[in-house]
Amino acid sequence: MFRLNLKIALRNLWKHKLVTAINIGGLSVALAAFLLITLYVGYETSYDASVPGRERVFQVCRSLPDSKTPYTPAALGQLLKRSLPDIEATGTVKKGGFDFAVTKEDRTYFTTDYTLIDYEGARLFDLKPQGGLKEPENDQTGQFYLSDAAFQLLFPKKRDNAPELVVLGSKSAGFTAPVAGAAHANPHSVLQYDALSVQKQLGSGEGFDSNNYFTYVRVKPGTNKSVLEAEITKLYRSALIGAGADAGSSEVKTAAIILDPLNNLHLKPAYGSDAPYKTVVALLALGMLILVIACINFTNLSIAQAAGRAREVGIRKVMGAARRRLAQQFIAEIFLQCLLAAALGLVMAELLIPRFNSVFQVPLTIRPFENGLLWKFPLIIIFISLAAGAYPAVVLSGFRPAAVLKGNFQTSAETTWLRKGLLVFQFTAAAVFIASLLIVSAQLRYMRTEDKGFRAEQVLAVTNMRIYSDPKKFEPARAQLLGIPGVRNATVATDIPDGSKTGTARYTISGKEIMTGFVNVDFDYFETLSIPIVSGRSFSPAFKTDTADAAILNERAVARFGLTDPVGKLIRGCDKTYRIVGVAKDAKAQGFAQAVEPTIYTMKNTCANPKVRILIKVEASEMLSAIAALRKRWPEINKGDGEFFRYRFLDEIYGRLFHKEEQLQQVFTAAAVLTVLIAMMGLFAYARYLIGSRNKEIAVRKVLGAGSFQLLQLFNAGFLKLVLLANLLAWPLAYLFMQAWLGGFAYRISIPLFPFLAACMLTVFLTLITVSAQAWRAMKASPAGTLKYE
């Protein structure tokens, strides 16, 4: 029986080669897309899966009146471990302020992500460096490690675990340090580094007013998170009072602690945007939708072929075949097609995965044992076979022999409505993706062209190891830089507009206190970035007190303080009083997703990190010659980096803030193409069947004088109504979906009408082309040949 069923299935598939090809092709494309998306979603949602007790590890964040921040004092971790028995382990992490060169003989590696971590934190994250994790003897001696790639580059022939001496920074500076070995940097972790320093303890001697560290805790099983947050908040407030803060101040009253789960940090941290999480959820929904559309396409085509199988069913029922046997036969045919589609989809996914990895910057591979595909993929095939084949099998096996053998077979009205409904669903999905793609593209275009409050073009961000917190130390370097032809401005600051958050502190004007971001800058900062001064003036060497107590507020800070004429007023924060000399235009330094924060710019700030971020503005026409001159003269300008002159263009750095949106644009492009392609394949086969079943009607109409245009109108009218209905359903869905997505941006477009009209016009145009091509083929047939046996 099995061999007979297999023969019948293969013969039927071969007999209807075109429809079979469309079914298998559509399913294989959908399966390839679904497979890649599920691999990506699995990768993105399993960060730090190897960390012991991952579900019990949290990052300690501070909740401020206006925002949340992951930055905490170094002393907080040790205080928590000493005071709260529910906390099993703590860890403290800090990002180094420098990028530097590591040199061994004639080989050099340039670090870009230097990280410091205490020994307890290294144990919490289960770091396993070469030679084993060793606890440093004291706070002054730590273990310095490099990433696997860096270590292999510098020591290609090393086989033992003995420390190696390397030069850090300029060779002429002569600063050396021992490298303990390689510490594998897991790319699948929120803890990233290419150079790592394991210390006995971080921030020794620092108080609770220095919030430059990340604190992690692992709690004991069964710990109540909400209760623990309340206990830590109470402990933190007491520590602030003990450090000298006024118990009645808003700084103490509003202080609150949030425990952010480790498995949330990558996609939806409490202190940042959840846009990456929304993107992953949207991708998962997209993958499932594409698979559903392919199943719908399969179902629709199978039902459309029902008339061609009616006599076969009638004869087999007369010969004694039970309905259950017939249903099994049709399910077997569908399973065979799904099996072929799965094999082809697997091949497509393997071919597409390098491009997919390049777009999403992930290291995915199709390895059955690692990704669980060995058991997941068969389940997917079985699910698709049942989802796509259950209803057609019930319909086909339910034909009545007496009716179909007399030749008056006709599918039920319910089946016809189902076919039309499935077709509408397919085109609704296609229209949603087309409109969404155009809206995402419009938002991206807006972010690229809208005024950011500063100009990043022609500005070089130079890697630097020297500290220029004192303006007098940077003045000689500035003079040398400005002496290079083509260099217009040069400055140094603690922060640049690259999307990173600035430090924050409480500042007060006339008794009103708000949490304010601070940036410590030098002369020419606003000129280098072309940030307009809307009132007052910029910092100038002509005013000697600017380096001591002058401040410039941005427009957002002025609005939050409720000032109408801020120039000349006093503002106090970080234990220092400043005089406001100007107001700068708001700069979208964190991108378009977050609103501009109130910010104060000063040239001297005790709360700020060291000034190490050098910015150089260069004339576009002299860019190449200026860069060559900078490279040549850098050893004398900046001895800390010496011969290692490295730079990046600021507009490229800022452009990385749009990377997720660019990924989403590419995803929607692929989704729109796939859904339209699958819908068109289904429409092609359905129109081919429907028009083929009306050949005699076409012949009669032609004999009675119907013209080609009238016949085209006749056949297109029904399909156009379905497509227009699909667009009417798609418009509110796309609007709501895009409205939710755009809600993640502080600065966004208003949704225009054009994307919806464009989706409608495109789907209508493709429908006209597809249906007309089939109708034209049928109309060219001779009426005599069609009607000669009637």
Side-chain angles (χ1 to χ4, degrees):
M1 182 62 72
F2 174 78
R3 290 182 61 188
L4 177 62
N5 286 342
L6 183 61
K7 279 185 179 181
I8 294 171
L10 291 173
R11 284 174 180 171
N12 275 304
L13 294 179
W14 184 253
K15 182 180 178 181
H16 304 95
K17 292 185 285 294
L18 182 61
V19 175
T20 301
I22 289 174
N23 273 339
I24 293 175
L27 270 179
S28 62
V29 170
L31 275 169
F34 180 75
L35 178 59
L36 291 175
I37 288 172
T38 50
L39 286 177
Y40 175 74
V41 170
Y43 180 85
E44 289 290 302
T45 55
S46 59
Y47 262 60
D48 288 304
S50 61
V51 173
R54 173 194 183 218
E55 69 283 353
R56 295 184 285 115
V57 176
F58 300 88
Q59 183 176 25
V60 181
C61 302
R62 293 183 300 134
S63 178
L64 309 175
D66 306 311
S67 61
K68 300 178 179 67
T69 176
Y71 293 104
T72 55
L76 182 60
Q78 295 301 319
L79 175 64
L80 297 182
K81 191 175 181 182
R82 289 195 307 267
S83 309
L84 299 174
D86 283 336
I87 293 179
E88 189 175 85
T90 64
T92 307
V93 178
K94 183 179 182 179
K95 287 296 180 182
F98 302 105
D99 296 342
F100 51 88
V102 183
T103 304
K104 179 65 175 179
E105 298 172 352
D106 60 341
R107 295 179 294 275
T108 300
Y109 181 85
F110 298 102
T111 67
T112 57
D113 195 353
Y114 175 46
T115 299
L116 299 94
I117 188 170
D118 64 0
Y119 175 71
E120 290 298 320
R123 292 183 60 194
L124 187 148
F125 276 95
D126 197 29
L127 298 184
K128 297 175 181 177
Q130 183 179 350
L133 183 64
K134 300 174 183 177
E135 184 175 6
E137 296 178 359
N138 52 58
D139 293 345
Q140 285 70 43
T141 61
Q143 300 289 331
F144 180 63
Y145 299 96
L146 293 172
S147 65
D148 294 330
F151 196 82
Q152 183 61 33
L153 174 69
L154 297 177
F155 311 103
K157 298 180 180 179
K158 187 170 178 62
R159 296 293 179 266
D160 57 44
N161 292 327
E164 294 280 352
L165 206 62
V166 295
V167 176
L168 303 183
S170 170
K171 293 179 181 178
S172 59
F175 183 70
T176 61
V179 176
H184 175 65
N186 182 7
H188 209 188
S189 171
V190 295
L191 183 66
Q192 292 295 305
Y193 53 85
D194 57 9
L196 180 73
S197 180
V198 178
Q199 306 284 328
K200 185 177 182 66
Q201 187 175 334
L202 292 181
S204 298
E206 294 186 21
F208 278 81
D209 57 346
S210 182
N211 299 298
N212 297 318
Y213 299 84
F214 302 110
T215 302
Y216 298 89
V217 298
R218 185 173 64 237
V219 303
K220 292 181 178 178
T223 300
N224 187 304
K225 176 174 170 284
S226 300
V227 172
L228 185 59
E229 284 177 335
E231 291 177 349
I232 297 176
T233 297
K234 183 178 179 181
L235 198 62
Y236 177 59
R237 290 176 180 175
S238 298
L240 289 177
I241 296 171
D246 183 2
S249 67
S250 60
E251 178 186 6
V252 175
K253 286 184 175 181
T254 61
I257 294 296
I258 298 172
L259 293 180
D260 199 11
L262 181 62
N263 55 8
N264 282 358
L265 298 184
H266 175 59
L267 293 176
K268 48 178 181 177
Y271 54 84
S273 170
D274 64 348
Y277 176 73
K278 289 180 179 178
T279 299
V280 168
V281 171
L283 278 173
L284 182 60
L286 167 64
M288 297 178 69
L289 185 58
I290 289 174
L291 201 58
V292 167
I293 290 171
C295 291
I296 286 173
N297 198 51
F298 197 108
T299 303
N300 220 357
L301 292 179
S302 298
I303 296 172
Q305 285 187 290
R309 305 291 297 276
R311 285 188 175 84
E312 174 196 337
V313 173
I315 291 171
R316 293 184 69 181
K317 279 195 169 184
V318 169
M319 299 296 292
R323 183 174 183 178
R324 180 172 57 85
R325 292 287 184 188
L326 291 171
Q328 289 175 353
Q329 166 68 41
F330 296 126
I331 288 286
E333 290 181 21
I334 290 164
F335 177 76
L336 189 59
Q337 293 179 74
C338 291
L339 199 60
L340 293 171
L344 188 56
L346 205 57
V347 172
M348 286 184 182
E350 184 66 45
L351 294 174
L352 291 172
I353 205 163
R355 173 62 181 164
F356 188 90
N357 287 344
S358 174
V359 170
F360 287 93
Q361 298 180 347
V362 289
L364 301 181
T365 57
I366 299 180
R367 295 177 182 171
F369 292 99
E370 290 185 12
N371 301 317
L373 291 179
L374 199 64
W375 62 269
K376 289 180 182 177
F377 213 58
L379 290 179
I380 293 172
I381 296 169
I382 293 170
F383 169 77
I384 293 172
S385 299
L386 293 175
Y391 187 77
V394 170
V395 171
L396 290 169
S397 63
F399 294 150
R400 295 181 180 178
V404 297
L405 292 178
K406 285 195 297 183
N408 59 357
F409 164 76
Q410 188 177 5
T411 54
S412 66
E414 290 81 2
T415 301
T416 302
W417 278 109
L418 177 64
R419 278 204 311 269
K420 291 180 178 179
L422 294 177
L423 202 61
V424 167
F425 182 89
Q426 286 180 301
F427 276 96
T428 299
V432 166
F433 285 125
I434 293 169
S436 300
L437 167 62
L438 295 174
I439 293 170
V440 169
S441 300
Q443 175 66 15
L444 260 175
R445 186 164 55 251
Y446 166 80
M447 292 192 295
R448 292 191 183 110
T449 58
E450 181 65 11
D451 181 20
K452 299 182 284 290
F454 68 98
R455 289 181 62 93
E457 297 79 13
Q458 301 164 226
V459 177
L460 306 180
V462 182
T463 300
N464 165 54
M465 282 189 67
R466 293 196 66 180
I467 295 174
Y468 291 109
S469 295
D470 185 350
K472 292 180 181 178
K473 290 187 177 180
F474 187 66
E475 193 53 43
R478 187 204 317 277
Q480 289 178 292
L481 290 171
L482 295 177
I484 295 175
V487 175
R488 287 172 51 189
N489 303 98
T491 191
V492 66
T494 55
D495 301 271
I496 63 175
D498 59 358
S500 57
K501 281 185 170 290
T502 65
T504 57
R506 295 190 175 278
Y507 285 82
T508 306
I509 298 179
S510 303
K512 183 170 183 178
E513 181 185 74
I514 66 170
M515 187 63 69
T516 306
F518 53 79
V519 181
N520 207 15
V521 303
D522 208 290
F523 296 119
D524 277 358
Y525 178 82
F526 299 97
E527 291 76 7
T528 303
L529 293 175
S530 301
I531 300 176
I533 301 296
V534 296
S535 67
R537 62 176 177 84
S538 181
F539 296 124
S540 171
F543 297 88
K544 302 299 183 185
T545 58
D546 278 7
T547 58
D549 61 4
I552 294 175
L553 301 185
N554 69 350
E555 294 173 306
R556 178 70 172 162
V558 171
R560 287 293 307 278
F561 278 114
L563 303 175
T564 54
D565 186 18
V567 176
K569 288 186 168 53
L570 300 179
I571 179 171
R572 182 167 180 80
C574 286
D575 297 324
K576 187 172 178 59
T577 301
Y578 300 91
R579 184 174 298 278
I580 301 171
V581 300
V583 177
K585 185 175 182 177
D586 286 341
K588 299 180 179 70
Q590 279 82 41
F592 285 70
Q594 301 177 45
V596 173
E597 295 180 346
T599 305
I600 179 172
Y601 301 92
T602 59
M603 294 188 67
K604 185 177 182 180
N605 190 333
T606 56
C607 291
N609 288 322
K611 287 190 276 190
V612 297
R613 313 297 295 273
I614 296 177
L615 297 172
I616 304 172
K617 185 153 193 157
V618 182
E619 292 283 357
S621 58
E622 299 184 72
M623 182 65 72
L624 293 178
S625 60
I627 290 175
L630 284 166
R631 182 173 283 108
K632 181 179 180 180
R633 295 179 57 181
W634 200 247
E636 60 181 275
I637 296 173
N638 187 315
K639 292 184 173 63
D641 292 292
E643 65 274 25
F644 300 121
F645 174 70
R646 291 180 293 146
Y647 68 92
R648 289 182 293 170
F649 288 103
L650 185 59
D651 54 354
E652 292 180 1
I653 298 173
Y654 191 78
R656 292 178 184 175
L657 301 181
F658 309 151
H659 183 60
K660 285 293 180 185
E661 288 72 34
E662 289 168 349
Q663 285 182 343
L664 196 62
Q665 183 187 39
Q666 294 188 55
V667 166
F668 274 115
T669 301
V673 170
L674 281 177
T675 50
V676 169
L677 177 64
I678 293 171
M680 286 301 111
M681 289 166 68
L683 179 63
F684 172 82
Y686 183 41
R688 182 185 178 91
Y689 159 74
L690 197 64
I691 294 171
S693 66
R694 299 174 70 179
N695 281 332
K696 291 176 184 177
E697 178 189 346
I698 294 171
V700 171
R701 286 180 179 274
K702 288 179 72 175
V703 169
L704 294 175
S708 298
F709 182 73
Q710 290 174 309
L711 292 172
L712 287 175
Q713 275 185 314
L714 173 68
F715 291 114
N716 277 300
F719 286 105
L720 286 178
K721 288 177 184 176
L722 296 178
V723 172
L724 290 174
L725 175 61
N727 276 276
L728 288 176
L729 294 174
W731 288 3
L733 292 175
Y735 179 84
L736 293 173
F737 179 50
M738 284 290 98
Q739 191 76 2
W741 179 71
L742 288 170
F745 293 91
Y747 308 98
R748 43 161 289 184
I749 61 169
S750 297
I751 297 180
L753 182 61
F754 171 74
F756 304 102
L757 295 176
C760 182
M761 288 187 290
L762 182 59
T763 50
V764 165
F765 173 75
L766 292 173
T767 301
L768 286 172
I769 293 295
T770 304
V771 176
S772 297
Q774 293 300 308
W776 187 261
R777 179 172 169 270
M779 289 186 305
K780 285 301 179 182
S782 170
T786 306
L787 299 174
K788 65 182 177 181
Y789 295 111
E790 294 297 318

